[in-house]
Amino acid sequence: AGLLYEVAWIRQAGTVIGNTTYAIGTVVGVYMGGLALGAWIGGRMADRRRGGALLRLYGLLEGGVALSALLVAPLFGVSEPLFGALWRSLGETSAVYLLLRVLLVAVALTLPTTLMGATLPVLARYFASLRAAGGIYAVNTLGGVLGTLAAGFWLVPEFGLKSTSYAAAAVNAIIAVASLALARGSDSGIVFTPEAAHTIPVCINGVCSTPATPAHHVVLRGLSVRDVGPDGNRDGIKFSGLLDFRVEACTVERWGR
C-alpha cells in the first residue's frame, strides 16, 4: 500500500502546494527520506528481536501506518488557506515559500513514511531465518507496482483521493491485526531459567559432543537465558566440545545477579 499512498498524497498535496515539478519533487523527496529514515530505525529494532517479537513489532508498525496515514489529508486541508495566502504574497519560487512547503509536507508525511520504511527490514529479518528474505523483497516490489497501477488507473479516478487513502489504510489495518494474531501463537523458542536444566548435550547419531569428539556446524538460534546467578558458575551460554558453531538471535537477561 506504500506506493498507493504516494500517488494519493501527490494528488492531495497538489491541491495545497500546486502540481508543478517543484511541488511533486517536494512530496517525493520527503516520502523517500521518510522511507530511508524508517529503514535505518527498523533495522536497528529488528536486530534486537526475533520470532514472535518481530511479528508483533511488524503488526504495530502497520497499525501505526494506518492511523498516521489517515491524518495526512486533514493536515493538508487545514493548511490550504495559509499556503494560498503565502503563494499570493510571496510567489511560488520564493525561498521562504519553498522552505515552508517542505516543512508542511515533512510534518504531514514524516511519521507515516518512517513507519512504512521500518516495516521492510523488520519483515525481512523475520523471514531471513526461513531463507525467504529474497522472496519478501520480490513480493514487496510487486505489491508496489500493483498498488501504483491500481491507484493511478482505477482507485483515484473511480473512487477519489479520500476513498483511496481509506482503502490503503484498511489494508494496513488488516495486515496489522493478522500479524499480531500470528505473533501471539508463534514459537517463543527455548527459554532457560534457574529452574530449568543448564546444559544442552549435543548428540549426533547417538554420539555426544566432547572435547575428544567435538560436534561441528552447530547453530544455536532463538535461545533465551534468564536470571542466571548469583550462585554457580554464572555461565549464560557455555560451549564445550564444539567446533564451527554459530549463535543467532539469542538473548541473555539478568545474567550474573
Side-chain angles (χ1 to χ4, degrees), residues 55-65 115 176 179-180:
L55 268 183
R56 190 174 302 107
L57 175 60
Y58 178 74
L60 293 175
L61 290 171
E62 287 285 352
V65 171
L115 293 173
S179 299
L180 292 173

Side-chain angles (χ1 to χ4, degrees), residues 15-30:
T15 65
V16 180
I17 61 177
N19 288 304
T20 64
T21 302
Y22 293 123
I24 295 174
T26 300
V27 175
V28 174
V30 172

Side-chain angles (χ1 to χ4, degrees), residues 68-207:
S68 59
L70 293 177
L71 299 177
V72 172
L75 286 173
F76 282 145
V78 168
S79 62
E80 185 174 358
L82 171 62
F83 272 79
L86 290 173
W87 182 81
R88 287 188 295 270
S89 61
L90 299 175
E92 186 179 20
T93 59
S94 166
V96 175
Y97 180 78
L98 292 175
L99 177 60
L100 291 174
R101 183 169 61 190
V102 172
L103 289 176
L104 164 67
V105 175
V107 168
L109 300 187
T110 296
L111 180 57
T113 55
T114 299
L115 293 173
M116 284 182 205
T119 58
L120 185 57
V122 170
L123 196 61
R125 175 71 173 177
Y126 175 76
F127 281 99
S129 61
L130 305 179
R131 303 294 189 265
I136 291 301
Y137 278 99
V139 170
N140 181 72
T141 303
L142 178 61
V145 172
L146 295 178
T148 303
L149 293 175
F153 291 96
W154 176 48
L155 290 172
V156 173
E158 188 71 22
F159 302 103
L161 294 173
K162 184 178 293 186
S163 296
T164 299
S165 297
Y166 288 160
V171 171
N172 290 126
I174 292 171
I175 293 173
V177 172
S179 299
L180 292 173
L182 289 173
R184 190 177 300 121
S186 63
D187 183 13
S188 61
I190 303 173
V191 178
F192 279 83
T193 64
E195 292 77 23
H198 292 163
T199 304
I200 307 177
V202 179
C203 301
I204 301 175
N205 293 329
V207 179

Side-chain angles (χ1 to χ4, degrees), residues 214-226:
H216 55 85
H217 295 90
V218 175
V219 178
L220 189 64
R221 181 185 297 121
L223 174 67
S224 293
V225 180
R226 300 173 182 167

